[in-house]
Amino acid sequence: MAFTIGELGKATGTKVETIRYYERIGLLAKPERTSGNYRSYGKAELGRLSFIRRARDLGFPLGQVQALLSLSDDRTRDCATVDALARDHLAEVERKIVDLTALRSELSALLDSCEGGTVGDCRIIEALAPPATSGETQ
Amino acid sequence: MAFTIGELGKATGTKVETIRYYERIGLLAKPERTSGNYRSYGKAELGRLSFIRRARDLGFPLGQVQALLSLSDDRTRDCATVDALARDHLAEVERKIVDLTALRSELSALLDSCEGGTVGDCRIIEALAPPATSGETQ
DNA sequence: CTTGACCCTGTAGTTGCTACAGGGTGCATA
DNA sequence: TATGCACCCTGTAGCAACTACAGGGTCAAG
């Protein structure tokens, strides 16, 4: 019924330092302490930390996790805000995918152009180097 | 022929603080100074900073940029190392794309399941919350 | 009664910048 | 000449989201 921080960490796949970090930034409340000053957690904290971890796994930044947590605390509230948060986050993820996909094309084009040889002839270095203003081989 | 740090920044799309930061971490050499202790750059530095910026735009982390720079300094060296760096980076980018694509599916599935109503019925919150061990509405 | 696994606090490091604070320089204008 | 303004200088602290110590204390087992 009561867990140490290490048990809580194991149960949620979270490092002990991370749990203490979440406490420090106010994402987790300060837990009770044992006589030996060890943190002591119950089922509620386990639930809360699991929630946090799932949201983080889905890529929600801590600020949004915080928001989701307080939204989930008031079960009578309209779910539209939650929806909007998730939608924003999805848009962000999609933006990143687009960026990375463009990057991938550039990188593989670069790699395709490489035909071995020395750095002097390397297309990759060439592509990175600034546009030659005149004839310069330095 | 000689630029101030601001001009160099404008020419390469780099903030002044970032240039000083690159100098601090040794990515750019300490430049000459004017009588008034202003940094003074020439064409070589402009080229080097452009290189850095392009590599950064392609998502290379600074450590790899450093490596690419020293590789590009020796034009007689075999280009295979450059190739390997780029290939590693491409692999990394592809890994991220895969991760984000999985994330996108999860998020849009979550969003599709939301039918409005209150937070109490919200599928998104429900998906984040830990698996109900027994009957608990708290 | 000692070993070892765990826990505690506090601080500093990571990556790649960005943003001050508190001052100096250099040029144009009143 | 003064004074204003844009720019430069150094040094430090902040962002996200942890991670990794150092230097201790606690607790159960053997």
Side-chain angles (χ1 to χ4, degrees):
Chain A
M1 271 293 143
F3 319 110
T4 64
I5 195 171
E7 287 162 352
L8 190 65
K10 231 161 261 168
T12 58
T14 313
K15 297 209 167 142
V16 164
E17 286 97 335
T18 304
I19 299 175
R20 285 197 282 247
Y21 167 71
Y22 288 163
E23 180 184 327
R24 208 160 55 242
I25 64 169
L27 204 56
L28 290 175
K30 301 194 177 202
E32 314 222 324
R33 299 290 183 128
T34 66
S35 55
N37 199 32
Y38 284 17
R39 286 171 180 80
S40 175
Y41 299 97
K43 267 210 306 192
E45 279 101 334
L46 177 60
R48 192 171 170 97
L49 183 53
S50 305
F51 186 105
I52 293 170
R53 290 268 97 194
R54 295 201 194 189
R56 291 289 302 130
D57 284 349
L58 287 169
F60 286 95
L62 287 178
Q64 290 193 9
V65 175
Q66 183 80 276
L68 287 169
L69 275 168
S70 35
L71 286 170
S72 78
D73 280 348
D74 180 359
R75 298 174 65 78
T76 66
R77 191 197 295 241
D78 189 330
C79 147
T81 317
V82 175
D83 206 77
L85 269 174
R87 211 170 287 283
D88 281 1
H89 182 46
L90 177 60
E92 182 72 10
V93 168
E94 280 171 343
R95 211 183 44 68
K96 279 186 192 161
I97 290 173
V98 169
D99 285 357
L100 285 173
T101 305
L103 205 56
R104 179 177 54 186
S105 313
E106 281 202 71
L107 279 171
S108 49
L110 228 54
L111 276 163
D112 284 349
S113 70
C114 182
E115 294 161 352
T118 67
V119 166
D121 317 313
C122 181
R123 303 287 183 152
I124 297 173
I125 294 292
E126 205 173 290
L128 289 169
T133 319
S134 59
E136 42 181 300
T137 313
Q138 252 260 32
Chain B
M1 271 292 143
F3 318 111
T4 64
I5 195 170
E7 287 162 352
L8 190 65
K10 231 162 260 167
T12 58
T14 314
K15 298 210 166 140
V16 164
E17 286 96 337
T18 305
I19 299 177
R20 285 197 282 248
Y21 168 71
Y22 287 164
E23 180 184 327
R24 208 159 56 243
I25 63 170
L27 204 55
L28 289 175
K30 301 194 174 200
E32 313 223 324
R33 297 294 182 125
T34 66
S35 55
N37 200 31
Y38 283 18
R39 286 171 180 81
S40 176
Y41 298 97
K43 269 209 304 192
E45 279 101 335
L46 177 59
R48 192 171 170 96
L49 183 53
S50 305
F51 187 106
I52 294 169
R53 290 267 99 193
R54 295 200 194 190
R56 291 289 302 130
D57 284 349
L58 288 169
F60 286 96
L62 287 178
Q64 290 192 10
V65 175
Q66 183 80 276
L68 287 170
L69 275 168
S70 35
L71 286 171
S72 78
D73 281 347
D74 181 358
R75 298 174 64 77
T76 65
R77 192 197 295 242
D78 190 330
C79 148
T81 317
V82 174
D83 207 76
L85 270 173
R87 210 170 288 283
D88 280 2
H89 181 45
L90 176 60
E92 183 72 10
V93 168
E94 278 171 344
R95 212 183 43 69
K96 279 186 190 159
I97 292 174
V98 168
D99 284 359
L100 286 173
T101 305
L103 206 55
R104 178 177 54 187
S105 312
E106 281 201 73
L107 279 171
S108 49
L110 228 55
L111 276 163
D112 283 350
S113 71
C114 181
E115 293 161 354
T118 66
V119 167
D121 317 312
C122 182
R123 303 287 183 155
I124 297 174
I125 294 291
E126 204 173 292
L128 289 169
T133 319
S134 61
E136 43 181 299
T137 314
Q138 250 259 38

